[in-house]
Amino acid sequence: MIMLLLSFLSASGCTGTSDTDDAPEQPDSPEPIPEGPEAEEEVEKGTGGNALASEPETVNSETTGQIQTLTVNITAEDQEYPAYISAPAEDGEYPAVVLIHSFNGLEQGYQDMADRLAADGFVVVAPQWQTYSRSPSDSGVEALVRSSINYLKNRDDVDPEKLGLTGFCAGGRYTMLFLPQVEEFKSGVAWYGFPYSGGTEVQPDEPASMIDQLEDPMLIIHGTRDEPSNISEIYRYAGELDAADKYFELKVYQGEPHGFMIKEGELSESFVAQDAYDEMVDFFNRTLSNPAPGNSSR
């Protein structure tokens, strides 16, 4: 089943750099805990074994509403990864999203996006998957994503039956790759991903090779002027999803380049960026709160 949304919008708010060019170097001996006071004691949460790395901070502004933010360490394969957390400040049980940043790292724009999602009623965890390697193995990133799920499932404010996945650039590829494999996720949003990237020692599988395993709805967001990930490959991927009778939605922005949501590390305020963000929120609201559409058997 297919829902195709084509928005031929004029190019605006283009990123100054692509996610694949001039990405910052990662340290050989990283410091897993980013800026912020360290907690005096560790907090064990499920399989992940997460250590509190900063105290929760309540933020209240006109743009975000009232949310709580903090940084935790999430353990995967005996290594600790810092992860940015943003959640609604009001008590309740909310849907949650794992956000996978681009190849440029966890830039401020992704933290701002997590804050906006929290203000819109989602608990968000954004793990820094490049902490120990600029290009880690797919298996290592998958382990980190699964540990991030364990962290979310052990929070009192998360509904464990309403978990979503989203990612950008390399994170878009991971969304396409992991959504079919990680059963806890109920839907995913892949931003300018790479469905045919793989076939190497550290990235053995192409996301497109996982289509038969996909049981959850996916929203694909892409720009027609994306040079690193040509739009023709996205149309090809969409065709294969449709042929396999997998439910997806495709939002295409005419004239937009790769990485159009983040400009020079900051969240773009362009009309296209806001529209694309709204598409993601609407998709998660529909697919995490209601039975999955299309052919999903879960």
Side-chain angles (χ1 to χ4, degrees):
M1 184 176 183
I2 174 174
M3 182 174 183
L4 179 62
L5 303 175
L6 295 178
S7 289
F8 294 101
L9 302 173
S10 60
S12 62
C14 298
T15 54
T17 59
S18 78
D19 285 355
T20 54
D21 296 333
D22 302 323
E25 294 294 330
Q26 299 297 315
D28 293 331
S29 300
E31 299 177 1
I33 301 177
E35 293 183 2
E38 295 183 31
E40 295 181 356
E41 58 185 17
E42 292 188 352
V43 179
E44 293 296 326
K45 287 184 175 289
T47 306
N50 304 290
L52 188 65
S54 69
E55 295 297 331
E57 177 183 0
T58 299
V59 179
N60 191 7
S61 71
E62 293 181 359
T63 56
T64 63
Q66 191 172 62
I67 60 174
Q68 282 196 336
T69 66
L70 72 156
T71 299
V72 301
N73 278 354
I74 292 180
T75 302
E77 296 184 331
D78 298 323
Q79 292 182 309
E80 288 186 337
Y81 295 79
Y84 181 76
I85 311 298
S86 193
E90 185 176 351
D91 290 343
E93 194 173 68
Y94 299 94
V97 174
V98 177
L99 187 154
I100 310 179
H101 63 73
S102 77
F103 202 69
N104 282 349
L106 187 62
E107 298 173 293
Q108 183 61 45
Y110 294 111
Q111 297 178 54
D112 292 342
M113 183 181 296
D115 292 348
R116 289 190 181 182
L117 282 167
D120 283 326
F122 298 87
V123 177
V124 182
V125 55
Q128 297 188 40
W129 55 271
Q130 290 177 308
T131 297
Y132 297 97
S133 172
R134 181 178 172 84
S135 300
S137 67
D138 285 349
S139 61
V141 178
E142 181 181 350
L144 177 57
V145 168
R146 291 184 182 275
S147 291
S148 298
I149 292 172
N150 288 335
Y151 167 81
L152 289 171
K153 291 168 71 174
N154 281 279
R155 286 180 61 105
D156 293 336
D157 57 354
V158 169
D159 184 342
E161 299 301 317
K162 298 179 179 180
L163 300 182
L165 174 65
T166 191
F168 303 76
C169 179
R173 175 183 177 272
Y174 288 134
T175 300
M176 296 170 173
L177 185 66
F178 298 148
L179 186 60
Q181 301 184 73
V182 181
E183 64 180 7
E184 287 89 348
F185 290 128
K186 303 306 179 185
S187 67
V189 180
W191 298 74
Y192 29 86
F194 297 81
Y196 299 99
S197 176
T200 68
E201 183 176 352
V202 296
Q203 297 182 341
D205 298 314
E206 296 180 354
S209 70
M210 300 292 171
I211 287 177
D212 287 346
Q213 299 181 40
L214 181 65
E215 298 294 341
D216 300 309
M218 181 192 303
L219 170 62
I220 303 166
I221 298 177
H222 218 83
T224 62
R225 303 289 169 81
D226 191 321
E227 293 185 3
S229 180
N230 193 281
I231 188 64
S232 64
E233 296 291 87
I234 299 303
Y235 290 143
R236 174 187 169 194
Y237 180 58
E240 293 183 8
L241 287 168
D242 185 45
D245 199 28
K246 304 299 182 179
Y247 184 86
F248 71 97
E249 298 176 18
L250 175 62
K251 183 80 177 191
V252 175
Y253 292 95
Q254 193 277 326
E256 291 302 310
H258 192 70
F260 64 83
M261 283 298 292
I262 306 296
K263 182 178 180 181
E264 297 179 352
E266 301 294 331
L267 183 60
S268 174
E269 297 295 338
S270 71
F271 169 78
V272 167
Q274 184 58 55
D275 186 80
Y277 172 83
D278 290 342
E279 288 287 343
M280 173 176 64
V281 170
D282 176 71
F283 184 78
F284 278 139
N285 281 333
R286 288 186 284 117
T287 57
L288 297 182
S289 299
N290 301 299
N295 65 301
S296 177
S297 60
R298 292 182 188 170

